[in-house]
Amino acid sequence: MSTTADRLATAYFDAIEALGRVTPKGWYAERSTARAMITDAGVASLNGVYDLTTDPDLGSLDELATEVARQVPHWSIIVRGEASAALVDLAARHGLRERHALPFLGCATDDIVFRPGSTQRTLVRRVGAAENERYTDAFAESFEAPEGAFGSLMGGAVLDTDGITGYLAEESGHSVGTALGMRAPSVIGVFNIGVVPSARGRGLGRMLTETVLRDGIAAGGDAAYLQASPMGRPLYESMGFVLVETWTMFAAQ
């Protein structure tokens, strides 16, 4: 599992780097095996300091944490696996005392369980940068986030960037869900799966996820990963995803 975990984690962190470099107010930096990415969104998990390995470089994390804290009010430290006592202390020194477990799931594309064809009258279509405001509005509604919480995260040329594909689910001309696919060579990252509250419970989350995966497979993907919320995890496990690692995130209380 460690080889698979390293491969999928590397693809995830490559995707995070790509987003930090392309989002309009983004910033990205490296120190040894530690990394930092800022999107300027008002969500801690979207402005992060993290390490590529399961044995984080605490000195480099500390340096990058200082830089990130100077730039944004909402940010986090994320590490693979359980956090050591030294890392807990480091996070606390930076005011990050709230700890969250982040299930990191993955699978080979051959193991994905696709459902039979659906008769739902829901259109899932790709969207480009010309519709970034519509996408952002639907994204925020799907995640029940305050207005402006995601800022310019999906603005600029993000949705026209090679390897990044945005999707909207629509019914009767109204946006009811979002998804984002981020593809590295042969690995598919599934992000932003969300359905507006009024349209939940009808399989739209699965439809969106399957669309990202089918497009990724068509582009040559042989493995996929995602981070699962408690609400979404049963769905993803029913599709063939399994727990690869549990990561730890520290944020302000």
Side-chain angles (χ1 to χ4, degrees), residues 179-237:
L180 190 75
M182 298 191 71
R183 294 185 299 277
S186 74
V187 182
I188 309 156
V190 181
F191 295 85
N192 296 5
I193 301 296
V195 177
V196 302
S198 62
R200 291 174 186 165
R202 296 193 280 110
L204 300 187
R206 185 179 188 117
M207 179 183 294
L208 285 157
T209 305
E210 288 186 354
T211 302
V212 175
L213 293 169
R214 289 186 189 279
D215 284 357
I217 292 170
D222 63 16
Y225 67 84
L226 52 83
Q227 284 187 337
S229 66
M231 181 188 300
R233 185 169 176 177
L235 164 64
Y236 302 131
E237 290 180 336

Side-chain angles (χ1 to χ4, degrees), residues 98-142:
E98 188 172 281
R99 192 187 313 194
H100 304 271
L102 302 177
F104 183 66
L105 277 57
C107 66
T109 55
D110 287 344
D111 295 332
I112 297 172
V113 179
F114 291 104
R115 66 181 171 181
S118 171
T119 59
Q120 293 189 88
R121 294 184 177 180
T122 303
L123 170 68
V124 176
R125 64 181 180 88
R126 296 185 182 192
V127 292
E131 294 185 273
N132 60 45
E133 290 187 8
R134 183 170 187 173
Y135 182 94
T136 298
D137 289 345
F139 182 33
E141 184 179 357
S142 296

Side-chain angles (χ1 to χ4, degrees), residues 65-86:
T66 299
E67 291 189 40
V68 170
R70 288 172 180 159
Q71 298 184 60
V72 288
H74 305 288
W75 64 286
S76 62
I77 294 175
I78 300 174
V79 294
R80 295 171 59 187
E82 289 291 327
S84 66

Side-chain angles (χ1 to χ4, degrees), residues 48-72:
V49 179
Y50 52 93
D51 194 282
L52 305 180
T53 72
T54 54
D55 183 21
D57 181 334
L58 297 184
S60 297
L61 281 176
D62 195 21
E63 291 177 13
L64 289 174
T66 299
E67 291 189 40
V68 170
R70 288 172 180 159
Q71 298 184 60
V72 288

